[in-house]
C-alpha cells in the first residue's frame, strides 16, 4: 500500500543527531499507520512544525531510528522500520511530510480466551495482542504475547451489516442460467449469520439444496459515505475469506436471495484480516478436498473499488462492515458430513464442517 502521511521525529535537538523515537500516522486512515512489515520505506519531501494540538493517541512508537536509516523496531512486531531523513532543528518535535510509505501485508485476527474476545496481530506464529480493533485509532500493542493454541479463532469482523453482490462473475451467472446485470445487484445478509473458522454450517430443515459460494470479503475500517472509487483503498481495513452459503431451492422459489441467504451460520468469515491482496488473486473452494470453484478476482464484473464506491452512494458504511464481492462458477450442494474450504492464496483458508439441524 502507498499512502501520504506524517513522520513525527521527537526529542531531536541537533541536526543529524540520533532520533530516539519516530512515529508515523497517515493522512486519513489509521490502518496504514501500523508498521511491522518486512518492507517499509518512506519518501520524505518536506519537514515542518505542525501547528495546533497533536492527537497523541494516533501515533505509534518506533525505537532506534536514525536519520537516513531504517528503524530497528516497530509497534507490532520485529520487522523492518521506516526510513527517516534529517530534518530541520526544531524544539522537541519535528514533523516530516512523507509522500509515500510502502508497507508489507499484515495479518490480524479476533480471538477468544475464556469469555474474553480480543484482537491481535499474527507475527512469527505468535499473537501480539492489540487493545482495540486494528482500524481503531486507539489501538496499540499491549505487550502481551499469546500462544495461538491457547485461544479460539473468531470471525475477523463484527459487522453492523453485510452487503453482498450477486452475479458479479459472468461464468457464475451463466451456470445459473441468468443474465449478467447492468449494475451491481445488491442484497444483505444479517450479522447473525456470521461464524468463524472451524464453526459448523448448519443445514436448515426448510431447504433440501444448500450451496457453497466462495467469495472475497472486504472489511470496512472507516465510517464513510459517497466514497470516490479512487479513494476506496483508504476506507478498507483489509480482506478475508467468506462463504456466502445459500439455500438455492428457496432462492428459486422466492425469486430473490435475501431469505435464502439469511439463515444462522450462512456467512462464515476468516481466518484472518489481511491488509493487502496479492497480484493475480484467485478465489477457490474445495469440498472434502475436491476442487469445485476456481476464479480470478480480476474477472469480477464490478471491481472491489467500484463496488464499495457504488454501495457507499446509498448507505453509510461503518467500521467492521463487510462487503461480499461475488462468487465464481462452480457452486454446488453441501450435505451433512462435508467439510468446505474457501481458499484465497495470500489471504487464508477458511474451513467449516457441515451438519444438519438437530
Amino acid at each position: 500500500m502507498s499512502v501520504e502521511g506524517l513522520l513525527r521525529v521527537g526529542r531531536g535537538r541537533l541536526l543529524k543527531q540520533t532520533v530516539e523515537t519516530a512515529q508515523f500516522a497517515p493522512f486519513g486512515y489509521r490502518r496504514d499507520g501500523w508498521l511491522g512489515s518486512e518492507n517499509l520505506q518512506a519518501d520524505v519531501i518536506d519537514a515542518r512544525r505542525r501547528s495546533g494540538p497533536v492527537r497523541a493517541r494516533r501515533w505509534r512508537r518506533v525505537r532506534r531510528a536514525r536519520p537516513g536509516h531504517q528503524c530497528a523496531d516497530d509497534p507490532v512486531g520485529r520487522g523492518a522500520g521506516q526510513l527517516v531523513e534529517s530534518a530541520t532543528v526544531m524544539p522537541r518535535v519535528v514533523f516530516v511530510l512523507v509522500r509515500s510509505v510502502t508497507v508489507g501485508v499484515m495479518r490480524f485476527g479476533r480471538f477468544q480466551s475464556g469469555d474474553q474476545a480480543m484482537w491481535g496481530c499474527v507475527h512469527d506464529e505468535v499473537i501480539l495482542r492489540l487493545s482495540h480493533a486494528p482500524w481503531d485509532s486507539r489501538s496499540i500493542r499491549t505487550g502481551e504475547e499469546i500462544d495461538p493454541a491457547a485461544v479460539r479463532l473468531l470471525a475477523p469482523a463484527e459487522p453492523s451489516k453485510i452487503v453482498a453482490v450477486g452475479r458479479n462473475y459472468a461464468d457464475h451467472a451463466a451456470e445459473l442460467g441468468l443474465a449478467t446485470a447492468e449494475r451491481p445487484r445488491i442484497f444483505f445478509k444479517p450479522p447473525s449469520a456470521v461464524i468463524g473458522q472451524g464453526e459448523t454450517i448448519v443445514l436448515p430443515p426448510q431447504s433440501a439444496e444448500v450451496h457453497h459460494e466462495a467469495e472475497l470479503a472486504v472489511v470496512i475500517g472507516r465510517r464513510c459515505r459517497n466514497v470516490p472509487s479512487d479513494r476506496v483503498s483508504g476506507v478498507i481495513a483489509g480482506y478475508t475469506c467468506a462463504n456466502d452459503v445459500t439455500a438455492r431451492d428457496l432462492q428459486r422459489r422466492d425469486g430473490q436471495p435475501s431469505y435464502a441467504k439469511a439463515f444462522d451460520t450462512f456467512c462464515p468469515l476468516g481466518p484472518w484480516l489481511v491488509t493487502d491482496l496479492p497480484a493475480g488473486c484467485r478465489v477457490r473452494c474445495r469440498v472434502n478436498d475436491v476442487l469445485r470453484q476456481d476464479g480470478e478476482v480480476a474477472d469480477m464484473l464490478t471491481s472491489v473499488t467500484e463496488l464499495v464506491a457504488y454501495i457507499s452512494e446509498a448507505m453509510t458504511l461503518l467500521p467492521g462492515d463487510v462487503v461480499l464481492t461475488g462468487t465464481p462458477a462452480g457452486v454446488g450442494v453441501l450435505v451433512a458430513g462435508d467439510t468446505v474450504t474457501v481458499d484465497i492464496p495470500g489471504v487464508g483458508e477458511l474451513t467449516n464442517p457441515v451438519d444438519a439441524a438437530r
Side-chain angles (χ1 to χ4, degrees):
M1 67 191 76
S2 292
V3 295
E4 289 187 338
L6 288 171
L7 183 67
R8 180 189 182 198
V9 180
R11 301 187 186 279
R13 293 183 179 274
L14 299 174
L15 190 67
K16 298 183 182 295
Q17 180 179 0
T18 297
V19 179
E20 295 181 353
T21 59
Q23 300 170 327
F24 172 76
F27 292 138
Y29 181 43
R30 171 70 190 86
R31 168 177 63 91
D32 295 319
W34 278 106
L35 313 182
S37 64
E38 297 301 320
N39 178 23
L40 191 150
Q41 292 183 336
D43 181 13
V44 178
I45 59 174
D46 191 16
R48 65 185 65 179
R49 180 106 181 243
R50 184 170 181 176
S51 60
V54 176
R55 296 181 62 185
R57 70 181 186 180
R58 295 184 61 84
W59 306 89
R60 299 295 176 258
R61 177 167 295 177
V62 182
R63 294 189 295 268
R64 298 197 297 278
R66 293 185 181 88
H69 291 75
Q70 286 192 329
C71 303
D73 271 352
D74 57 70
V76 176
R78 304 175 183 83
Q82 66 188 351
L83 195 65
V84 181
E85 186 171 294
S86 299
T88 305
V89 179
M90 294 181 184
R92 298 183 64 83
V93 176
V94 175
F95 289 91
V96 181
L97 183 63
V98 176
R99 179 165 50 216
S100 64
V101 175
T102 302
V103 184
V105 177
M106 301 188 66
R107 286 191 302 164
F108 298 100
R110 281 180 66 237
F111 309 91
Q112 183 169 351
S113 178
D115 295 332
Q116 186 177 24
M118 66 189 78
W119 277 95
C121 175
V122 182
H123 183 81
D124 288 344
E125 306 308 319
V126 173
I127 300 168
L128 308 175
R129 185 172 178 179
L130 305 178
S131 61
H132 297 81
W135 55 77
D136 193 315
S137 62
R138 299 168 294 174
S139 187
I140 60 172
R141 178 181 165 185
T142 67
E144 181 181 359
E145 296 188 358
I146 302 170
D147 181 358
V151 295
R152 182 170 70 89
L153 193 57
L154 303 174
E158 296 179 277
S160 71
K161 54 186 169 292
I162 302 161
V163 190
V165 60
R167 306 185 207 172
N168 203 24
Y169 289 80
D171 55 359
H172 173 57
E175 73 177 347
L176 297 180
L178 300 171
T180 56
E182 293 183 4
R183 59 182 60 86
R185 297 174 59 88
I186 301 301
F187 61 91
F188 295 88
K189 292 175 79 84
S192 55
V194 172
I195 58 174
Q197 174 85 328
E199 294 187 74
T200 301
I201 298 170
V202 178
L203 304 176
Q206 296 94 327
S207 174
E209 188 184 353
V210 173
H211 284 195
H212 58 80
E213 292 190 8
E215 304 200 12
L216 172 69
V218 178
V219 179
I220 301 299
R222 184 181 180 186
R223 182 186 177 99
C224 59
R225 176 79 196 278
N226 289 319
V227 185
S229 58
D230 62 352
R231 298 182 63 183
V232 163
S233 62
V235 304
I236 293 177
Y239 307 87
T240 192
C241 303
N243 194 341
D244 181 15
V245 183
T246 304
R248 193 70 68 199
D249 49 351
L250 302 186
Q251 183 180 10
R252 284 194 295 265
R253 181 198 69 185
D254 294 346
Q256 56 88 20
S258 294
Y259 183 80
K261 293 173 177 283
F263 288 91
D264 290 354
T265 76
F266 270 26
C267 190
L269 296 174
W272 318 110
L273 181 72
V274 301
T275 54
D276 258 325
L277 291 178
C281 187
R282 304 190 71 87
V283 178
R284 299 177 177 134
C285 180
R286 300 190 305 274
V287 177
N288 304 326
D289 291 326
V290 177
L291 184 65
R292 289 194 181 178
Q293 292 181 268
D294 186 3
E296 289 191 50
V297 169
D299 289 337
M300 289 180 183
L301 299 176
T302 304
S303 70
V304 168
T305 54
E306 292 170 337
L307 183 59
V308 173
Y310 179 78
I311 293 168
S312 75
E313 291 175 1
M315 68 194 78
T316 299
L317 294 171
L318 303 177
D321 283 351
V322 171
V323 176
L324 304 184
T325 60
T327 193
V331 300
V333 174
L334 295 172
V335 298
D338 282 345
T339 298
V340 57
T341 298
V342 176
D343 175 16
I344 305 179
V347 177
E349 293 189 8
L350 169 65
T351 300
N352 300 92
V354 180
D355 203 357
R358 301 184 185 280

